[in-house]
């Protein structure tokens, strides 16, 4: 009975329901009663008629299709592109609006068809598409859209093409078509499927086709440099256009895909042609054009690789050419050398900043090229022995840069004409600049060795221009990554000097009470061998009696203070002031201990002539040191009248023979403003002190020996941590550990690996000879 009543109910109800449905489709006014009646009728039919839901769905489908066919007829009545698009967009907008309203009364229909209870009508998952809405969209897609989508796309692309050619049109037409494509899909999993497979694809093809024709024509007509401006402008223009005409929601990549397409057709195709202009632009410092090229090439995969190579080659070639052209000047003047290196660094940094906006990849290329210049050996080189104390030792050339940087630091920190004319801020700036260059020096251990030697000289001779700057320099070296043990030794040197000053004061106080006048005249420096130790042996010399007698007193005083410690006297590092009298007048001379020992030979017999052989016996100085010392007294570069005269005259220290005679120059005097002075003070130490011929050789040997120890230490450290490591991995880690000191050669690494294997610190893996195993 109920079943029969339900069947009758659908046929009775639908004629009353249909006018309301048609009104909704046509966007006509629907009264509140009609709206409520439609809800109730759908509910009744679906609830009481077993097949009511399917019948309602079928009837609804027919009416929707009928409405769509009428809309299609109205759209196709227009032949012209713009009119067709306007008509389609108008019909679509009307239909799409109703896609939100029409499904509302059919909630019970959806519940019945999906087999869900009444409660689910209220709690529908928002991700699920309404059945009625899906029916409307699918019907539109399968009828009108499938029939005219190609005409729609072609019309829209013609309008975009016209815009690219500078013609004006209503952009809302293209946007409207795109929105219909975006909203048409009823697939919950991929809402943009129809848009992507149709509109986006057509847009990309039209864009590529347009520029595949236009780009080569423009390049041929205007050349590369103008073409780069054209390509850059078009890329920006197309990106802006894409944000208007393509979908831009977060989960849609249409704009990115379009930009990639434009980059391919505008840049990638002409990559080699554009890049070929790069070397000339770099040479001519055309930073704006380079920046434009960079912005284009950076969009292409590995597009800037060639630019990086060209920049690196330019910096290497130009930098070395500049250094070689200034070789005469910079090889004799460490200040000029450092200034030249800094000028190159600033110039190339400016190029990278202006042309490439300090892009890290270009900064890396600059650094690699600058490092090559700094460590180049073609202008001048430092010869370091390849082996230690072996016959026929070969030397391996290294850049002299670290030595010259240390010399320049010395000029800034010592009392020199350069440091006197600069302000404190300028000295600090120049020291910072030295540290900047030092970052690129490969063999920093050479700088450390020379810097320490210069610091030793300054502290012993009290020739530092500014003690605060000296101590600051130590901390700056720590900041730039110098090895901690090296920096700590420098810091200990300053502590030693302060402790030594206190000891010196106590010594003077103790001996002043004994009424010994010499105590106030003598200053002692007692220094720690660990921080100050020099590799050269102490040089023997016969001291003047006054000093010789004084030494036991110092030793006794120190023994009382520190039992168990032993003093070793380094006369090579000592100096003093002597009063010198002759027929002209009386002068105070600052001299080394060796010069003092030589001059004291005439203390009791000022007019005598003494042979080289006699002086050798009197002073007990080694031959090389005596020759150097005598030469500084007979041919001192800064004075016209020398202290000693010799016969026969010589040009080099090697020219002295055992029979060469020396005597005091009674006409020695200081000349100021062309006038002979009868009183005055003169410094004869110069750069003589602290640098024996032997110690220089030992310094170089010491550098190599220390490198060997460092390599051995680092290898053992790595193996202790890794236990088992391949040869390649060992070399990589080793270079990384030692990079702040020096770059070990493969030969050195191989030799030290063999040495460590021989001495049972490590062994080769029996199954793989390229792997090493740590031995406890």
């Amino acid at each position: 009975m109920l079943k029969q009543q339900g069947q009758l109910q659908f046929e009775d109800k639908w004629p009353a329901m249909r006018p309301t449905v048609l009104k909704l489709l046509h966007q006509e006014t629907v009264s509140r009663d009609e709206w409520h009646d439609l809800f109730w009728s759908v509910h009744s039919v679906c609830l009481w008629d077993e097949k009511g839901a399917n019948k309602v769905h079928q009837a609804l489908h027919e009416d929707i299709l009928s409405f769509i066919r009428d809309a299609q007829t109205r759209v196709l009545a227009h032949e012209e592109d713009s009119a067709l698009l306007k008509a389609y967009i108008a019909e679509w907008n009307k239909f799409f609006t109703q896609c939100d309203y029409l499904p509302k009364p059919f909630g019970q229909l959806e519940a019945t068809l999906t087999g869900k209870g009444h409660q689910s009508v209220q709690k529908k998952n928002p991700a699920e598409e309404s059945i009625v809405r899906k029916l409307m969209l699918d019907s539109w897609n399968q009828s009108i859209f499938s029939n005219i989508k190609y005409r729609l796309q072609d019309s829209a692309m013609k309008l975009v093409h016209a815009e690219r050619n500078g013609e004006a049109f209503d952009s809302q037409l293209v946007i409207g078509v795109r929105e219909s494509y975006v909203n048409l899909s009823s697939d919950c999993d991929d809402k943009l499927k129809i848009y992507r497979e149709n509109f986006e694809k057509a847009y990309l093809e039209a864009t590529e086709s347009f520029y595949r024709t236009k780009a080569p024509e423009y390049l041929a007509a205007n050349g590369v440099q103008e073409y780069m401006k054209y390509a850059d402008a078009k890329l920006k223009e197309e990106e802006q256009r894409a944000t208007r005409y393509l979908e831009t929601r977060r989960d849609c990549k249409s704009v990115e895909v379009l930009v990639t397409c434009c980059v391919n057709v505008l840049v990638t195709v002409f990559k080699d042609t554009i890049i070929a202009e790069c070397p000339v632009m770099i040479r001519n410092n055309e930073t704006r054009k380079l920046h434009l090229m960079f912005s284009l090439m950076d969009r292409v995969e590995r597009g800037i690789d060639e630019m990086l190579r060209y920049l690196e080659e330019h910096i290497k070639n130009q930098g070395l050419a500049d250094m070689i052209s200034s070789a005469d000047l910079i090889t004799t003047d460490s200040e000029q050398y450092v200034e030249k290196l800094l000028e190159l660094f600033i110039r190339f940094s400016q190029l990278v900043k202006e042309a490439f906006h300090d892009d890290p990849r270009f900064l890396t290329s600059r650094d690699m090229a600058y490092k090559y210049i700094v460590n180049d050996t073609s202008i001048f080189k430092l010869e370091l022995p390849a082996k230690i104390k072996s016959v026929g030792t070969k030397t391996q050339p290294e850049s002299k840069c670290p030595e010259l940087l240390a010399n320049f630091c010395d000029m800034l920190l010592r009392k020199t004409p350069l440091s006197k004319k600069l302000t404190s801020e300028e000295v600090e700036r120049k020291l910072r600049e030295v540290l900047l260059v030092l970052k690129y020096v490969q063999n920093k251990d050479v700088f450390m060795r020379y810097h320490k030697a210069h610091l030793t000289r300054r502290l012993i001779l009290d020739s530092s221009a500014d003690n605060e700057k000296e101590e600051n320099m130590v901390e700056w070296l720590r900041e730039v990554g110098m090895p901690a043990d090296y920096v700590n030794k420098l810091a200990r040197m300053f502590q030693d000097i302060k402790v030594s000053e206190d000891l010196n004061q106590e010594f003077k106080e103790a001996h002043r009470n004994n009424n010994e006048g010499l105590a106030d005249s003598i200053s002692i420096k007692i220094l720690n061998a660990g921080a100050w130790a020099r590799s050269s042996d102490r040089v023997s010399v016969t001291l003047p009696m006054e000093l010789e007698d004084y030494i036991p007193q110092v030793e006794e005083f120190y023994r009382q203070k520190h039992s168990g410690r032993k003093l070793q006297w380094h006369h090579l590092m000592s100096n003093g002031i002597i009063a010198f009298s002759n027929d002209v007048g009386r002068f105070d001379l600052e001299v080394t201990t060796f010069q003092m020992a030589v001059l004291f030979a005439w203390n009791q017999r000022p007019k005598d002539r003494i042979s080289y052989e006699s002086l050798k016996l009197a002073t007990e100085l080694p031959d090389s040191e005596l020759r150097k010392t005598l030469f500084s007294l007979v041919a001192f570069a800064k004075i016209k009248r020398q202290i000693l005269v010799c016969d026969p005259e010589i040009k080099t220290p090697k020219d002295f023979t055992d029979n060469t005679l020396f005597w005091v120059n009674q006409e020695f005097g200081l000349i100021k403003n062309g006038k002979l002075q009868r009183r005055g003070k003169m410094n004869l130490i110069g750069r003589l002190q602290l640098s024996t011929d032997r110690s220089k050789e030992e310094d170089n040997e010491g550098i190599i020996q220390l490198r060997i120890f460092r390599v051995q230490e680092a290898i053992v450290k790595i193996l202790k941590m890794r236990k088992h490591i391949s040869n390649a991995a060992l070399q990589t880690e080793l270079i990384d550990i030692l990079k702040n000191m020096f770059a070990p050669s493969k030969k050195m690494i191989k030799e030290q690996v063999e040495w460590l294997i021989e001495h049972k610190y490590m062994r080769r893996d029996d199954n793989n000879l390229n792997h090493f195993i740590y031995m406890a």
Side-chain angles (χ1 to χ4, degrees):
M1 178 70 185
L2 281 174
K3 185 176 179 183
Q4 188 182 4
Q5 186 181 348
Q7 287 172 343
L8 290 172
Q9 194 176 20
F10 171 74
E11 277 74 24
D12 289 341
K13 288 285 183 183
W14 181 247
M17 293 160 62
R18 189 165 181 254
T20 309
V21 169
L22 293 176
K23 279 184 179 181
L24 287 171
L25 280 172
H26 289 88
Q27 287 190 327
E28 294 173 5
T29 306
V30 176
S31 68
R32 179 177 293 187
D33 290 342
E34 288 174 321
W35 181 247
H36 287 165
D37 287 345
L38 183 58
F39 271 87
W40 173 246
S41 299
V42 171
H43 179 81
S44 301
V45 170
C46 292
L47 205 59
W48 295 104
D49 190 340
E50 193 175 293
K51 295 182 180 178
N54 289 326
K55 290 176 183 178
V56 172
H57 188 272
Q58 183 61 35
L60 199 56
H61 186 203
E62 288 171 7
D63 281 342
I64 290 169
L65 279 178
S66 174
F67 172 79
I68 290 172
R69 278 194 288 271
D70 292 343
Q72 183 174 343
T73 305
R74 290 192 293 274
V75 171
L76 293 177
H78 300 277
E79 292 294 329
E80 198 266 322
D81 290 336
S82 294
L84 177 80
L85 291 177
K86 279 180 185 174
Y88 174 80
I89 291 165
E91 293 292 343
W92 163 255
N93 286 340
K94 190 192 299 183
F95 181 77
F96 186 63
T97 303
Q98 294 316 103
C99 285
D100 289 332
Y101 289 106
L102 187 59
K104 290 183 185 297
F106 294 92
Q108 186 60 51
L109 172 71
E110 293 183 23
T112 305
L113 290 176
T114 55
K116 294 179 180 177
H118 179 72
Q119 301 261 333
S120 64
V121 178
Q122 317 301 323
K123 299 181 180 180
K124 185 165 69 72
N125 187 339
E128 292 179 11
E129 187 73 77
S130 155
I131 287 177
V132 176
R133 180 184 171 88
K134 187 176 188 309
L135 173 67
M136 293 177 76
L137 292 174
D138 288 347
S139 301
W140 183 277
N141 186 11
Q142 289 157 12
S143 53
I144 182 170
F145 182 72
S146 296
N147 292 336
I148 67 166
K149 67 178 179 182
Y150 294 113
R151 275 197 67 187
L152 288 173
Q153 285 168 197
D154 290 346
S155 299
M157 295 313 124
K158 282 178 186 174
L159 292 177
V160 175
H161 184 89
E163 185 183 70
R164 288 189 178 117
N165 286 325
E167 299 173 28
F169 76 97
D170 183 2
S171 61
Q172 285 302 317
L173 296 177
V174 180
I175 294 169
V177 172
R178 183 252 298 163
E179 286 177 347
S180 76
Y181 277 70
V182 169
N183 295 320
L184 195 52
S185 177
S186 61
D187 187 343
C188 293
D189 296 327
D190 189 358
K191 287 283 189 182
L192 297 173
K193 184 177 180 183
I194 293 174
Y195 157 78
R196 219 173 23 253
E197 292 176 355
N198 296 279
F199 189 86
E200 183 188 286
K201 184 181 176 186
Y203 192 94
L204 293 174
E205 287 173 354
T207 305
E208 187 174 347
S209 174
F210 179 82
Y211 286 112
R212 205 170 283 287
T213 306
K214 290 283 184 183
E217 291 174 1
Y218 194 94
L219 178 60
N222 300 281
V224 172
Q225 298 192 8
E226 286 301 315
Y227 177 77
M228 288 197 303
K229 295 177 188 174
Y230 169 80
D232 186 57
K234 290 302 173 187
L235 285 171
K236 290 173 182 171
E237 182 184 307
E238 286 301 332
E239 190 168 0
Q240 288 177 349
R241 185 176 286 122
T243 56
R244 286 201 307 275
Y245 298 146
L246 294 178
E247 185 58 28
T248 55
R249 66 174 69 173
R250 188 177 297 171
D251 57 342
C252 182
K253 307 289 184 186
S254 292
V255 176
E256 292 173 30
V257 174
L258 183 276
V259 170
T260 304
C261 172
C262 290
V263 168
N264 285 337
V265 76
L266 283 167
V267 183
T268 309
V269 174
F270 308 106
K271 174 184 166 185
D272 294 339
T273 310
I274 296 171
I275 284 284
E277 297 284 313
C278 185
V280 178
M281 290 181 187
I282 291 176
R283 269 199 307 275
N284 297 337
N285 203 38
E286 296 176 277
T287 51
R288 286 189 179 180
K289 292 176 182 176
L290 282 168
H291 181 64
L292 181 57
M293 182 183 287
F294 166 55
S295 66
L296 292 174
M297 286 301 148
D298 200 26
R299 293 168 177 263
V300 179
E301 187 180 355
R302 301 186 67 85
I304 63 165
D305 287 3
E306 285 295 294
M307 294 184 75
L308 293 169
R309 186 172 64 80
Y310 285 137
L311 176 71
E312 195 171 327
E313 285 177 1
H314 168 75
I315 293 176
K316 283 180 183 176
N317 298 335
Q318 190 63 50
L320 286 180
D322 281 15
M323 296 296 280
I324 290 167
S325 66
S326 319
D328 292 343
L329 183 63
I330 62 178
T331 48
T332 55
D333 187 339
S334 59
E335 181 186 2
Q336 292 294 331
Y337 172 74
V338 176
E339 293 289 353
K340 188 68 185 173
L341 278 178
L342 285 167
E343 186 259 313
L344 290 175
F345 183 81
I346 291 164
R347 192 204 314 168
F348 297 135
S349 296
Q350 193 70 18
L351 171 65
V352 173
K353 183 178 182 180
E354 291 178 4
F356 311 112
H357 288 197
D358 281 344
D359 182 273
R361 294 161 294 180
F362 285 91
L363 287 173
T364 302
S365 280
R366 176 208 66 186
D367 290 349
M368 288 168 66
Y370 190 68
K371 190 173 185 178
Y372 178 85
I373 295 168
V374 167
N375 296 292
D376 176 68
T377 57
S378 59
I379 303 170
F380 39 42
K381 56 198 172 198
L382 174 71
E383 298 283 356
L384 290 180
K387 294 180 181 175
I388 304 298
K389 294 182 181 176
S390 61
V391 181
T393 304
K394 289 183 179 179
T395 56
Q396 51 188 39
E398 289 189 6
S399 169
K400 211 173 180 183
C401 178
E403 181 186 342
L404 294 168
L405 287 177
N407 291 348
F408 186 51
C409 281
D410 183 49
M411 289 171 66
L412 292 169
L413 293 167
R414 187 162 45 89
K415 292 171 185 170
T416 59
L418 174 64
S419 64
K420 285 175 184 173
K421 75 178 182 183
L422 296 173
T423 63
S424 177
E425 290 76 17
E426 287 171 330
V427 170
E428 182 172 335
R429 179 174 57 79
K430 286 186 178 291
L431 287 170
R432 293 277 192 185
E433 288 170 348
V434 169
L435 295 173
L436 173 69
V437 177
L438 185 62
K439 280 201 307 186
Y440 297 93
V441 171
Q442 206 164 21
N443 300 321
K444 296 183 178 69
D445 55 341
V446 177
F447 172 84
M448 297 172 200
R449 183 62 69 111
Y450 281 100
H451 179 69
K452 185 181 175 187
H454 291 315
L455 177 61
T456 302
R457 188 196 309 272
R458 291 195 298 274
L459 292 177
I460 287 172
L461 298 180
D462 293 324
S463 61
S464 290
D466 185 339
N467 289 329
E468 188 182 344
K469 284 278 185 300
E470 291 277 15
E471 295 188 30
N472 287 345
M473 184 67 181
V474 174
E475 290 308 309
W476 295 337
L477 288 169
R478 196 190 301 277
E479 286 170 16
V480 297
M482 286 294 162
D485 58 341
Y486 166 73
V487 178
N488 291 340
K489 278 186 180 179
L490 297 186
R492 277 174 59 195
M493 289 168 73
F494 288 102
Q495 291 170 5
D496 272 6
I497 288 291
K498 287 171 184 171
V499 171
S500 181
E501 285 173 0
D502 294 340
L503 277 171
N504 195 46
Q505 196 59 41
E506 288 176 28
F507 178 78
K508 286 185 177 182
E509 292 291 339
H511 286 75
R512 193 176 290 131
N513 299 333
N514 300 340
N515 295 320
E516 296 178 21
L518 200 58
D520 284 330
S521 307
I522 287 184
S523 175
I524 53 170
K525 285 187 170 72
I526 299 175
L527 309 172
N528 187 306
W532 296 74
R534 293 179 59 80
S535 53
S536 57
D537 295 329
R538 288 174 295 152
V539 180
S540 62
V541 61
T542 302
L543 295 175
M545 288 301 295
E546 292 86 344
L547 292 177
E548 199 70 63
D549 295 342
Y550 192 66
I551 286 175
Q553 297 177 27
V554 176
E555 290 180 341
E556 180 58 31
F557 168 77
Y558 190 72
R559 196 176 297 113
Q560 290 171 4
K561 290 276 180 187
H562 304 281
S563 61
R565 292 188 188 177
K566 185 181 178 183
L567 293 180
Q568 291 184 327
W569 293 90
H570 283 259
H571 301 306
L572 170 67
M573 302 166 81
S574 305
N575 61 85
I577 300 175
I578 60 171
F580 175 87
S581 301
N582 65 357
D583 296 347
V584 174
R586 182 183 175 88
F587 306 94
D588 290 334
L589 303 181
E590 288 185 51
V591 291
T592 68
T593 310
F594 295 169
Q595 289 171 327
M596 188 187 294
V598 169
L599 291 173
F600 261 74
W602 282 276
N603 200 29
Q604 305 299 326
R605 39 183 182 174
K607 302 286 176 101
D608 283 14
R609 295 190 173 205
I610 305 175
S611 69
Y612 178 84
E613 189 176 15
S614 300
L615 285 171
K616 195 172 181 180
L617 289 169
T619 61
E620 295 185 350
L621 279 170
D623 186 69
S624 62
E625 288 303 316
L626 180 58
R627 287 177 183 275
K628 194 164 66 170
T629 304
L630 281 168
F631 191 73
S632 72
L633 296 171
V634 300
F636 194 70
K638 292 182 180 177
I639 53 177
K640 291 181 180 177
R641 300 189 182 192
Q642 301 298 329
I643 295 171
L644 297 182
V645 184
C646 68
D647 179 39
E649 289 187 7
I650 50 92
K651 291 185 178 178
T652 68
K654 291 179 182 178
D655 297 340
F656 294 133
T657 66
D658 284 351
N659 298 320
T660 303
L661 294 175
F662 300 87
W663 63 94
V664 174
N665 182 7
Q666 295 299 328
E667 295 180 3
F668 167 77
L670 302 179
I671 298 173
K672 226 180 223 181
N673 301 325
K675 291 182 181 179
L676 185 64
Q677 307 292 314
R678 296 187 177 278
R679 288 271 189 278
K681 192 173 182 179
M682 181 75 195
N683 188 328
L684 296 175
I685 298 172
R687 308 301 289 159
L688 198 68
Q689 198 169 16
L690 307 183
S691 58
T692 63
D693 293 335
R694 187 177 174 192
S695 73
K696 201 157 194 177
E697 286 173 17
E698 287 185 352
D699 264 351
N700 290 347
E701 281 189 2
I703 289 169
I704 295 299
Q705 188 63 61
L706 189 59
R707 285 183 184 180
I708 288 171
F709 290 148
R710 295 277 192 195
V711 171
Q712 291 174 354
E713 177 191 28
I715 291 173
V716 171
K717 187 177 178 182
I718 292 165
L719 277 164
K720 202 169 185 179
M721 187 167 56
R722 301 274 182 239
K723 306 300 182 192
H724 187 281
I725 195 169
S726 69
N727 185 36
L730 176 65
Q731 292 203 20
T732 304
E733 287 197 35
L734 190 62
I735 289 167
D736 190 55
I737 287 175
L738 299 174
K739 66 185 177 187
N740 278 336
M741 289 178 277
F742 64 96
S745 64
K746 287 187 176 179
K747 184 181 176 186
M748 179 182 274
I749 294 172
K750 185 180 177 184
E751 286 173 351
Q752 299 323 307
V753 165
E754 295 300 333
W755 188 91
L756 289 168
I757 290 172
E758 187 182 332
H759 289 79
K760 309 293 185 193
Y761 287 93
M762 57 193 279
R763 64 180 176 85
R764 293 186 188 275
D765 190 334
D766 295 334
N767 300 320
N768 188 341
L769 294 178
N770 273 327
H771 281 71
F772 303 111
I773 297 171
Y774 175 66
M775 294 172 69

